[in-house]
Structure formats: C-alpha cells, structure tokens
Amino acid sequence: MKSIKSVLLAFIMIMGLIGINTSETNAGPRVRIYVGTPKIHKPGPNYVWVEGHYKINKYGKLVWVPGHWKRV
C-alpha cells in the first residue's frame, strides 16, 4: 500500500512538472501592438509616430521595439 502511494505521488509530481514546462514554452510573447497613431496628443509639431517593429540586436535575436514619437 505504501509503495502504491509513493508511485502515485511521483506520477502526479512528474505530470505537474511536465504541465508547467509545456504551458511556459507554448505561451507567446505578450506585447501590445498599436495600429496607427495612438490616441494621445503629439508632444510637439515636429514629431511623427514610429510604428512598433522588430529589430535585430547585437546578439542576432529579434527584439520588439514599441511605437514611439520621434522628432524630425
């Protein structure tokens, strides 16, 4: 009886670890993507809105750069 409980407990622990790992790996990136100009006022007359985009960093990985106001 004691061995059955220990085997059952080990099985539940392994399934819990597998479930945690798969849920983390399947979760996509959580980013907000605005389409078009946001509904806030321009900081000044010489500013334009730059859309969010992906950029390659110095390690060769894609990094999300959020939209921002740029002075021209």
Side-chain angles (χ1 to χ4, degrees):
M1 189 70 170
K2 191 173 186 181
S3 64
I4 294 174
K5 286 183 181 179
S6 63
V7 169
L8 185 60
L9 180 62
F11 177 76
I12 291 172
M13 290 175 61
I14 290 171
M15 292 305 291
L17 292 174
I18 291 172
I20 291 170
N21 288 337
T22 56
S23 65
E24 289 177 359
T25 57
N26 291 337
R30 297 179 183 175
V31 294
R32 294 181 183 165
I33 300 174
Y34 291 102
V35 178
T37 308
K39 296 180 180 179
I40 57 174
H41 297 288
K42 289 172 70 170
N46 295 330
Y47 286 84
V48 293
W49 178 252
V50 178
E51 293 285 331
H53 57 279
Y54 283 98
K55 183 178 180 181
I56 298 176
N57 67 3
K58 64 181 180 179
Y59 302 109
K61 295 195 177 195
L62 287 175
V63 178
W64 177 255
V65 178
H68 57 277
W69 291 103
K70 183 175 183 178
R71 188 174 185 176
V72 290

